[in-house]
């Protein structure tokens, strides 16, 4: 950017030149010429001979004057003038004249016409005053342009010495120290005046102009120039505001040189920028060509008539067509036939209205295969907004769309069964709620949980478990209506949503069909087995009006079904809701009872030999809970509650400690207690420090080996047979007898029994109670007792309540009898009185 005013800088020099030329002949004495210059305040005098300019004498030439020679003023000017005279044509622009001033280090130019005749004279000062530098001067400060190393002379110097210093330093002015902190200035114009009056040896301090005009370094150049003009000065001293030191000198020459220097810098920068832009454009074009060739996106360019003029390699890779096969042709060669005419009409309408179109389109490969591409078409215009080309960029997104569909399926469907997962289920439940609300309809939610699935999964392996879940999902789907939704929450939990229900019986019929389907035999790994399911049912809007509550209520009903026998269903009801609140209250009460050891106690039930004269052999410790508000709470309730709430471990530890303490009490009383069997829960059995706890009880209460024995269900052992063997072996090493309780009621596998270090099998009471009613029970009892004897296991018959049952048991290999017939569970004190007292 040129900081010089464009209008002023382009005007011819004749507009600024001084037309009234000061001239003299070559033989004019120097003092006379100087007097005339001083009188007219001219900075130069032109020497004319025979009408031709033969030389020029300027203020700067006065510095070469010998002030110490009294004859010097009388020397003809022709002997000291500068020759030849530098000139410019009167049509030359101010910009060019300013540039010549700097390039040739001159201060004056003779202005001539085309014939070479003198017409005027132009000086640096004229350019600085009239060139139109206001914009530049307003943006720059004095500090940017001033002479930062001005000539500072003592006032004691003479004129001759001063002139020599100024000439040597090439300065047109010097600051003079006049003493007492006062400064003045002397300039080339002053020297011209001194030449005229020849002051001789006068000290400089008496000749310097005072007071010294000053400006601050931060002042603008525009203000400095205005001060020079207003005060008719040629120079300003620059004084620091804080230190009051003279730090520079500013004159018209500095202003003009600074402007030209800035102009040259900007011009150089502009030219460099232009060259860089051209180079960058060339490189950008090369780069664009390389990028288009290397791009993975297909590029196709057509002319305004939709004739293909360019394709890149990616086009060939995607479509199968080479450039030679399509250039000059139409893009319709790729048409798939899957889009109607309206589709293309909307595309071209968008190109006309917006200048671009972007969307997905099916096209056809050269080999006939369809592919989906993401296509962007851009309209290209010339300067007159006429369409010249269309540029199309496209990417094959067939695999991307397939992956997105796969990811979407993973997000909404169970990976194993391909049933809707929880996320999709909740979405469909929301839709079902909105539909049912709008049409005043009911629908049902079935929460289905498989019974004993973990046992099957652990015993047969996870692969077999997955196969079982697939079979279960297929069986249930086959028994649901087309509009029903079957989803898998995870693990062995499923949800069925039955819309448009008019009668609850419809739902219960479906529930029974599902239970029947799941209860049918399965075959996996050449093994036949059965499982069941527990199911809870909730209704919209009867039981809840939102998704979360409907699932929660169905879950609560399912849990109730598990509590009440499994392989069945339960409907949610307000009674069930009240039951849940009661369980929460019971949980708090049980936690307090365990923490305070308050209300929890043990009853003991004897086990007798099956001989005609029965002998007391052992006893079983049974937990009891008496609460001041809840009353006597059934063990079935609070044991299940303890397992559900995570209280089973502290409860079991408390009861085991009570058993050990009671045994110690009996021993200290001189009695001979029989071994006490303690029931172990699954969580308790699988504690890593179970053996250490039992050993600690023996040590703390100083109990003889064998007084503590343990009972556990077969489901505990089925979960992890091999680790169970290590735990049972450690218990046997402590002298503990180990009984398998409720044998025959679960998922029984007889193959593992011979591997486990058991001592006793307890036949479930259900077989005992059906001895007189069910021949199958007799056969099962015979098989169990025969097998147990073969394995050298003690057989206990549980739940013996009548004399007839006892008599029937004498036909089987039963060793011990337990039941109300031989003895009910009683307190420790009653047990002592009835069975242990001498």
């Amino acid at each position: 950017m040129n900081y010089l005013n464009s209008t002023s800088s382009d005007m011819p020099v004749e507009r600024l030149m001084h037309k009234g030329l000061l001239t003299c002949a070559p033989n004019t004495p120097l003092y006379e010429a100087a007097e005339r210059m001083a009188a007219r305040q001219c900075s130069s005098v032109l020497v004319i001979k025979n009408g031709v300019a033969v030389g020029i004498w300027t203020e700067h030439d006065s510095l070469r004057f010998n002030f110490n020679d009294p004859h010097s003023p009388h020397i003809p000017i022709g002997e000291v003038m500068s020759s030849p005279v530098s000139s410019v044509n009167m049509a030359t622009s101010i910009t060019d004249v300013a540039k010549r001033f700097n390039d040739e280090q001159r201060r004056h130019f003779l202005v001539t016409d085309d014939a070479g005749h003198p017409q005027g004279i132009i000086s640096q000062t004229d350019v600085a005053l009239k060139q139109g530098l206001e914009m530049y001067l307003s943006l720059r400060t004095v500090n940017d342009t001033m002479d930062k190393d001005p000539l500072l002379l003592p006032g004691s110097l003479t004129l001759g010495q001063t002139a020599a210093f100024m000439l040597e330093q090439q300065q047109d002015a010097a600051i003079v120290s006049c003493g007492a902190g006062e400064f003045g200035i002397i300039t080339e114009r002053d020297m011209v005046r001194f030449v005229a009056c020849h002051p001789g040896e006068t000290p400089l301090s008496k000749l310097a102009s005072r007071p010294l005009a000053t400006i601050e370094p931060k002042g603008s150049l525009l203000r400095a120039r205005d001060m020079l003009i207003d005060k008719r000065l040629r120079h300003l001293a620059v004084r620091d505001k804080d230190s009051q030191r003279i730090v520079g000198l500013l004159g018209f020459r500095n202003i003009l040189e600074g402007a030209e220097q800035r102009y040259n810098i900007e011009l150089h920068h502009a030219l460099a920028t232009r060259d860089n832009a051209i180079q960058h454009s060339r490189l950008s074009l090369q780069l664009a060509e390389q990028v288009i060739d290397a791009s993975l996106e297909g590029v196709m360019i057509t002319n305004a008539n939709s004739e293909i003029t360019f394709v890149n390699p990616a086009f060939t890779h995607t479509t199968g067509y080479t450039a030679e096969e399509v250039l000059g042709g139409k893009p319709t060669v790729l048409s798939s036939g899957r889009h109607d005419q309206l589709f293309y009409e909307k595309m071209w309408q968008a190109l006309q209205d917006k200048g671009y179109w972007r969307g997905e389109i099916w096209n056809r490969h050269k080999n006939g295969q369809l592919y989906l591409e993401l296509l962007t078409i851009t309209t290209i215009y010339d300067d007159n907004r006429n369409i010249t080309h269309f540029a199309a960029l496209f990417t094959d997104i067939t695999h991307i769309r397939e992956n997105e569909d796969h990811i979407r399926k993973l997000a909404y469907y169970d990976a194993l069964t391909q049933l809707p997962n929880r996320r999709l289920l909740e979405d469909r439940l929301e839709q079902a709620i909105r539909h049912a609300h709008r049409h005043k309809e009911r629908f049902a939610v079935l929460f289905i949980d498989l019974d004993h699935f973990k046992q099957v999964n652990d015993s047969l392996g996870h692969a077999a478990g997955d196969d079982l879940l697939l079979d279960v999902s297929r069986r249930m789907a086959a028994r649901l209506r087309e509009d029903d939704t079957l989803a898998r929450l995870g693990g062995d939990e499923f949800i069925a949503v039955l819309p448009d229900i008019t009668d609850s019986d419809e739902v219960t019929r479906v529930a029974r069909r599902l239970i029947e389907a799941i209860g049918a035999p399965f075959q996996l790994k050449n093994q036949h087995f059965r499982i069941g399911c527990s199911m809870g049912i909730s209704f919209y809007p009867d039981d809840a009006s939102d998704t979360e509550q409907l699932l929660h209520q169905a879950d609560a009903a399912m849990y109730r079904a598990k509590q009440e026998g499994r392989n069945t269903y339960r409907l949610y009801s307000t009674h069930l809701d009240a039951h849940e609140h009661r369980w929460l209250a019971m949980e708090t009460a049980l936690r307090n009872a365990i923490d305070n050891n308050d209300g929890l106690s043990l009853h003991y039930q004897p086990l007798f030999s099956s001989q005609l004269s029965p002998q007391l052999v052992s006893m079983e410790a049974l937990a009891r809970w008496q609460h001041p508000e809840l009353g006597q709470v059934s063990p079935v309730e609070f044991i299940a509650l303890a397992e559900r709430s995570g209280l089973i471990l502290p409860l079991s530890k408390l009861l085991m400690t009570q058993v050990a303490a009671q045994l110690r009490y009996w021993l200290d009383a001189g009695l001979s207690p029989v071994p006490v069997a303690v029931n172990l829960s699954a969580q308790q059995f699988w504690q890593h420090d179970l053996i250490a706890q039992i050993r600690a009880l023996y040590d703390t209460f100083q109990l003889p080996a064998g007084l503590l024995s343990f009972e556990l269900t077969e489901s505990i052992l089925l979960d992890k047979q091999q680790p169970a063997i290590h735990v049972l072996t450690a218990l046997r090493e402590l002298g503990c007898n180990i009984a398998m309780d409720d044998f025959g009621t679960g998922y029984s596998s007889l193959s593992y029994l011979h591997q486990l270090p058991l001592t006793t099998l307890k036949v479930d009471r259900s077989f005992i109670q059906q001895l007189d009613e069910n021949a199958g029970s007799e056969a099962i009892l015979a098989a169990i007792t025969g097998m147990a004897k073969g394995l050298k296991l003690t057989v206990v018959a549980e739940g013996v309540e009548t004399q007839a049952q006892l008599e029937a048991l004498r036909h089987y290999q039963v060793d011990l009898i337990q039941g109300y017939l031989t003895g009910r569970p009683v307190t420790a004190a009653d047990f002592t009185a009835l069975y242990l007292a001498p």
Side-chain angles (χ1 to χ4, degrees):
M1 172 181 178
N2 187 356
Y3 282 95
L4 307 182
N5 181 279
S6 60
T7 302
S8 299
S9 60
D10 291 338
M11 70 171 61
V13 71
E14 66 174 323
R15 298 280 297 276
L16 295 183
M17 70 181 183
H18 290 282
K19 296 181 180 180
L21 291 174
L22 179 63
T23 63
C24 68
N27 59 357
T28 303
L30 187 56
Y31 76 89
E32 183 180 330
E35 286 178 348
R36 293 169 62 188
M37 285 175 60
R40 291 185 55 179
Q41 293 188 340
C42 290
S43 59
S44 63
V45 59
L46 195 63
V47 181
I48 303 295
K49 182 178 181 180
N50 300 325
V52 177
V54 295
I56 191 171
W57 193 77
T58 68
E59 293 173 339
H60 184 66
D61 292 325
S62 67
L63 299 180
R64 298 185 179 90
F65 180 73
N66 187 356
F67 288 96
N68 297 322
D69 184 359
H71 302 287
S72 292
H74 302 282
I75 296 175
I77 195 170
E79 295 182 14
V80 294
M81 67 181 183
S82 298
S83 182
V85 181
S86 296
S87 63
V88 294
N89 187 278
M90 58 192 305
T92 306
S93 69
I94 297 299
T95 301
D96 291 339
V97 172
K99 186 174 185 303
R100 283 191 62 186
F101 274 134
N102 281 336
D103 291 346
E104 300 176 22
Q105 292 295 305
R106 297 187 182 276
R107 300 186 186 179
H108 298 82
F109 282 118
L110 177 65
V111 182
T112 62
D113 58 16
D114 292 338
H117 299 135
Q119 300 295 320
I121 198 160
I122 186 80
S123 68
Q124 274 188 329
T125 302
D126 297 327
V127 174
L129 286 173
K130 302 178 182 179
Q131 195 181 0
L133 303 176
E134 283 76 8
M135 179 61 71
Y136 165 74
L137 297 176
S138 65
L139 296 176
R140 310 296 289 177
T141 65
V142 170
N143 187 63
D144 296 332
T145 307
M146 69 180 186
D147 184 353
K148 297 181 181 179
D149 188 22
L151 184 61
L152 182 61
L153 300 177
S156 58
L157 291 180
T158 64
L159 277 179
Q161 293 171 324
T162 300
F165 274 118
M166 292 176 65
L167 184 63
E168 180 183 352
Q169 298 295 322
Q170 295 187 351
Q171 297 290 338
D172 58 353
I175 296 173
V176 180
S177 176
C178 299
E182 185 181 10
F183 293 92
I185 190 169
I186 190 167
T187 68
E188 291 177 343
R189 176 156 292 184
D190 295 328
M191 290 297 184
V192 172
R193 181 165 48 85
F194 298 154
V195 168
C197 63
H198 190 221
E201 296 296 325
T202 307
L204 191 58
S205 58
K206 292 184 178 182
L207 300 174
S209 299
R210 286 179 285 184
L212 182 64
T214 63
I215 193 170
E216 295 180 6
K218 294 182 180 180
S220 72
L221 283 181
L222 182 61
R223 179 171 175 270
R225 189 201 67 171
D226 291 344
M227 287 178 63
L228 290 171
I229 294 174
D230 293 344
K231 296 184 178 182
R232 304 180 65 83
L233 299 175
R234 306 287 291 278
H235 297 84
L236 290 173
V238 184
R239 188 188 296 270
D240 182 70
K241 180 179 180 181
D242 297 327
S243 65
Q244 294 298 308
R245 291 188 306 106
I246 301 298
V247 296
L249 189 64
L250 180 72
F252 284 115
R253 177 176 57 84
N254 302 112
I255 294 175
L256 185 61
E257 288 176 353
E260 264 320 298
Q261 180 183 17
R262 189 66 186 179
Y263 169 77
N264 290 332
I265 292 174
E266 293 296 336
L267 178 62
H268 177 76
H269 177 71
L271 293 174
T273 300
R274 182 202 62 184
D275 294 341
N276 289 337
I278 294 173
Q279 180 66 15
H280 181 71
S281 297
R282 186 180 297 111
L283 292 176
S284 296
L285 182 60
Q286 295 174 353
L287 181 61
E289 292 174 350
Q290 295 174 8
V291 169
I292 291 174
D293 284 343
S295 173
L296 298 179
E297 285 191 304
V299 177
M300 176 176 64
I301 299 176
T302 72
N303 58 23
N305 298 322
S306 297
E307 297 169 341
I308 300 174
T309 60
F310 173 83
V311 295
N312 70 340
F315 173 92
T316 300
H317 176 77
T318 302
T319 68
Y321 290 98
T322 63
E324 292 76 10
E325 292 174 310
V326 297
L327 291 180
K330 300 279 188 175
T332 52
V333 68
L334 304 175
S335 178
S336 66
R338 297 187 66 171
H339 303 287
D340 57 18
Q341 185 62 28
L342 180 61
F343 175 86
Y344 293 104
E345 289 177 358
K346 290 182 178 179
M347 175 191 294
W348 288 110
Q349 190 62 45
L351 288 172
Q352 294 290 335
D353 297 342
K354 301 179 181 179
Y356 72 93
W357 180 89
R358 180 178 175 85
E360 295 179 2
I361 184 172
W362 286 97
N363 275 334
R364 190 179 299 276
H365 193 275
K366 182 180 178 181
N367 62 14
Q369 183 177 353
L370 295 179
Y371 64 92
L372 182 66
E373 69 181 29
L374 180 62
L375 172 65
T376 300
I377 306 177
T378 303
T379 307
I380 300 175
Y381 303 92
D382 61 16
D383 294 338
N384 298 320
R385 293 296 294 175
N386 297 317
I387 296 176
T388 61
H389 295 84
F390 295 99
L393 280 75
F394 61 90
T395 303
D396 185 348
I397 61 171
T398 309
H399 296 304
I400 295 176
R401 187 65 69 245
E402 290 173 350
N403 290 337
E404 288 177 351
D405 293 340
H406 180 63
I407 292 171
R408 189 178 298 108
K409 194 164 186 178
L410 290 177
Y412 290 100
Y413 290 88
D414 175 57
L416 175 64
T417 63
Q418 300 304 305
L419 294 175
N421 60 12
R422 177 183 287 273
R423 186 175 180 181
L424 182 55
L425 168 68
E426 291 176 349
D427 181 65
R428 291 190 178 178
L429 273 174
E430 293 290 345
Q431 294 181 27
I433 289 172
R434 288 193 292 268
H435 179 84
H437 176 74
R438 188 164 51 249
H439 297 282
K440 307 300 182 185
E441 295 176 353
R442 300 172 71 210
F443 69 86
V445 176
L446 282 62
F447 197 114
I448 306 158
D449 185 273
L450 302 184
D451 296 331
H452 307 300
F453 172 74
K454 189 175 188 301
Q455 299 169 9
V456 177
N457 202 39
D458 289 346
S459 59
L460 298 182
H462 291 286
D466 289 346
D467 291 340
L468 175 61
L469 290 173
L470 284 171
D471 285 347
V472 168
S473 63
R474 283 193 285 263
R475 288 186 185 184
M476 288 194 291
R479 285 161 178 79
L480 293 173
R481 301 171 302 179
E482 184 177 354
D483 293 337
D484 297 338
T485 294
L486 178 64
R488 182 187 177 206
L489 292 186
D492 59 347
E493 294 180 339
F494 296 83
I495 295 290
V497 180
L498 282 54
D500 194 16
I501 297 298
T502 57
D503 189 345
S504 299
D505 290 342
E506 296 179 60
V507 181
T508 57
R509 285 194 296 272
V510 173
R512 285 193 292 272
R513 287 203 307 268
L514 294 177
I515 291 173
E516 179 184 358
I518 295 173
F522 290 91
Q523 180 179 352
L524 292 174
K525 294 187 175 181
N526 297 322
Q527 294 192 39
H528 290 82
F529 59 90
R530 295 175 183 267
I531 63 170
C533 71
S534 299
M535 190 181 306
I537 304 171
S538 63
F539 290 91
Y540 173 89
D542 310 56
D543 300 321
S545 59
D546 63 75
T547 297
E548 183 178 355
Q549 281 301 309
L550 280 169
L551 292 174
H552 180 270
Q553 314 300 44
D555 185 20
M558 181 277 296
Y559 193 79
R560 183 69 176 273
K562 281 193 178 293
Q563 287 182 311
E564 297 181 0
R566 299 176 183 267
N567 206 35
T568 187
Y569 66 87
R570 289 291 180 268
L571 304 179
Y572 181 81
S573 65
T574 54
H575 168 71
L576 180 58
D577 193 38
H579 179 78
E580 286 294 312
H581 285 294
R582 181 173 182 272
W583 271 61
L584 288 175
M586 283 177 58
E587 179 182 338
T588 301
L590 180 59
R591 191 180 303 276
N592 293 334
I594 294 171
D595 292 341
N596 301 325
N597 192 14
D598 183 19
L600 292 167
S601 63
L602 288 167
H603 283 200
Y604 299 89
Q605 185 176 26
L607 279 72
F608 288 94
S609 65
S610 60
Q611 301 167 357
L612 293 177
S613 299
Q615 299 288 324
L616 178 65
V617 177
S618 62
M619 52 182 155
E620 181 179 357
L622 301 169
R624 295 292 184 264
W625 181 24
Q626 177 68 37
H627 189 268
E629 296 176 3
L630 301 173
Q632 186 72 38
V633 185
S634 166
V636 174
E637 279 193 294
F638 75 78
I639 294 298
L641 173 63
E643 290 180 336
R644 178 182 178 184
S645 61
L647 295 173
I648 191 65
L649 293 180
L651 175 62
S652 301
K653 187 173 183 180
L654 174 63
L655 296 178
M656 278 189 17
T657 303
Q658 288 185 3
V659 170
Q662 184 61 51
L663 285 170
R664 183 68 262 166
Y665 175 81
W666 281 325
L667 291 170
D668 291 342
L671 302 176
S672 300
V674 292
V676 180
V678 177
N679 287 281
L680 290 177
S681 68
Q683 294 183 48
Q684 189 179 14
F685 181 79
W686 291 115
Q687 289 182 96
H688 69 280
D689 61 344
L690 173 64
I691 303 303
Q693 289 183 36
I694 296 172
R695 186 180 290 114
L697 286 176
Y698 270 104
D699 293 341
T700 301
F701 294 97
Q702 295 295 302
L703 301 179
L707 274 187
L708 285 175
S709 61
F710 298 94
E711 295 184 8
L712 44 124
T713 62
E714 58 185 326
S715 61
I716 297 175
L717 304 180
L718 280 172
D719 282 347
K720 302 174 185 176
Q721 294 176 25
Q722 293 303 320
I725 293 175
H726 299 295
V727 178
L728 296 175
T729 300
L731 289 174
R732 294 289 294 121
E733 290 174 353
L734 290 175
C736 303
N737 286 329
I738 304 169
M740 180 179 288
D741 198 10
D742 301 332
F743 185 78
T745 60
Y747 174 77
S748 301
S749 176
L750 305 180
S751 61
Y752 71 90
L753 283 177
H754 73 280
Q755 301 176 4
L756 300 175
L758 303 173
T759 60
T760 306
L761 284 185
K762 299 186 74 173
V763 181
D764 187 70
R765 66 181 63 247
S766 61
F767 299 112
I768 307 303
Q769 292 170 355
Q770 297 178 28
L771 277 177
D772 297 333
E773 306 170 5
N774 191 332
S777 295
E778 296 178 358
I780 292 175
L781 182 60
I784 291 175
T785 56
M787 178 199 66
K789 283 302 176 183
L791 294 174
K792 296 182 175 55
L793 299 175
T794 300
V795 178
V796 178
E798 291 186 293
V800 180
E801 298 178 354
T802 67
Q803 187 64 36
Q805 292 171 352
L806 179 60
E807 292 300 327
L809 286 171
R810 297 193 189 282
H811 300 290
Y812 303 97
Q813 301 181 65
V814 175
D815 300 298
L816 301 178
I817 303 297
Q818 181 180 2
Y820 286 175
L821 179 65
T822 55
R824 291 175 176 270
V826 294
T827 64
D830 289 343
F831 195 91
T832 303
L834 290 172
Y835 306 111
L836 299 182

